[in-house]
Amino acid sequence: MSDCIFCKIANGEIPSATLYEDEKFRVILDLGPATKGHALILPKNHASNLYELPDDVAAASMVLAKKMAIKLKEGLGCDGLNLVQNNGEAAGQTVHHFHIHMIPRYKQDHAGITWKPGTLTQEDRDDILRKVK
């Protein structure tokens, strides 16, 4: 996509702090990090979201996420790591190019990537199983 900012970054048209690059992906430091070392995995070929992403790229992105998670843990000494991948504005997606946030976590970092657990009712359970299974 000619007007996609992440396509331009992933393909080297816009400079970035690149942690890793191969023929399919570029991994960059996020310019608005949640924590120290917050990085983005960007496929070089455009897909707006997970729903449009080819299966082979989806699989390769998770293998790369594992590789980069190990590098971040070893390099930064973080205590944990969140992988965050948003699809659609309701889910918090602001750039419509598939990407994975890799957010190193540190004890008491207050990054706020949590939610209050709800309750799965029998009615919701049955409805979901009927519609999705």
Side-chain angles (χ1 to χ4, degrees):
M1 258 183 121
S2 63
D3 62 339
C4 175
I5 187 95
F6 278 3
C7 281
K8 291 176 182 178
I9 294 169
N11 290 291
E13 296 172 40
I14 296 174
S16 63
T18 299
L19 296 173
Y20 174 86
E21 181 180 12
D22 64 22
E23 65 281 348
K24 291 184 180 181
F25 298 96
R26 183 180 296 259
V27 180
I28 65 167
L29 290 177
D30 194 306
L31 291 178
T35 65
K36 181 179 180 178
H38 180 167
L40 303 175
I41 296 175
L42 307 175
K44 291 186 175 181
N45 291 327
H46 185 81
S48 292
N49 51 48
L50 182 64
Y51 314 120
E52 297 178 5
L53 195 66
D55 289 349
D56 64 319
V57 179
S61 68
M62 191 54 66
V63 171
L64 179 55
K66 178 185 176 193
K67 176 180 180 173
M68 293 306 302
I70 292 167
K71 286 180 166 270
L72 289 167
K73 180 159 180 53
E74 290 175 352
L76 301 175
C78 55
D79 300 306
L81 184 124
N82 288 113
L83 290 181
V84 178
Q85 202 285 304
N86 304 318
N87 296 283
E89 290 177 18
Q93 185 178 15
T94 58
V95 179
H96 296 278
H97 179 110
F98 174 87
H99 57 286
I100 299 173
H101 292 264
M102 301 190 66
I103 305 172
R105 298 305 302 271
Y106 306 91
K107 290 180 180 157
Q108 301 177 359
D109 64 21
H110 306 292
I113 304 168
T114 61
W115 56 88
K116 183 180 177 186
T119 302
L120 179 62
T121 65
Q122 186 69 37
E123 181 181 351
D124 283 348
R125 176 190 175 278
D126 293 346
D127 183 52
I128 294 164
L129 289 174
R130 185 176 67 256
K131 291 178 178 176
V132 179
K133 193 171 178 184

